[in-house]
Amino acid sequence: MHVDGTFTDGWMRRFAASVSATEAELTALDQAAGDGDFGTNLMAGLDATLRFLGDPPTGPGDPAAPLRAAATAFLDEVGGTSGPLFGLLFHELAVAATDAGPELTVSALAAGAGGGLSAIRRVGEAAPGDKTLVDALAPACAALRSCDRKGDPRQALSRAAAASWEGVRDTAGLRARRGRASYVGEHASGVPDPGAVGIALLFSSSGENVTTLAPYLEEPTPAAR
């Protein structure tokens, strides 16, 4: 199954709604692990994305266009470290969606997310285990690669979301070696990485509006695993 520009437009709008609803929680996490501006910066990028998107599409549309709008917004409009990194991810997703043609495929999602991960690791010099957004993006990429390339992209994104939240929860037990949290040492112990949370929100927003982080940050019971 394939999806078109109506889906990616809705995905970006849901991501904006999810970040808006959880901005205070993101700020609280970043105050414990960084300088407290992650939620504000993420929302600034998404506000710009919404301006670039304009009115919702009335027809199928180009699936790459909303991703390209998000890339431009984050690369050009957002300061700090989070803007360029999210911008790189959106850029690679947009390139892969363009290459895929008029409909977004699982293959394109896997290629775009993987390209974004490579670009972010190259620019940020972060690896899995460093307590950064890479710890959520890497498992999401692995989940996408494991999906049927001819399957439903929405189901693949749902699997990526579940994997990314598991990565988020794992960051609470890590000591930061990169990013702002590396400067605060033990003060960030037990706190999930805000950037990783942002990545998980992105993938979750492919299918739902997230209204609070609490259920996603709690360890699932053994029966729910």
Side-chain angles (χ1 to χ4, degrees), residues 37-103:
D37 64 351
F38 176 70
T40 300
N41 287 341
L42 198 58
M43 198 65 246
L46 288 164
D47 282 341
T49 299
L50 293 176
R51 291 198 304 273
F52 293 155
L53 289 177
D55 294 330
T58 56
D62 175 10
L67 300 169
R68 197 178 302 118
T72 301
F74 276 87
L75 289 169
D76 294 351
E77 304 283 334
V78 183
T81 57
S82 59
L85 297 182
F86 274 81
L88 286 171
L89 175 57
F90 285 125
H91 171 74
E92 293 296 333
L93 286 168
V95 169
T98 298
D99 291 343
E103 295 182 316

Side-chain angles (χ1 to χ4, degrees), residues 186-206:
E186 292 300 326
H187 291 292
S189 178
V191 179
D193 180 72
V197 173
I199 291 293
L201 278 174
L202 169 63
F203 284 107
S204 284
S205 297
S206 64

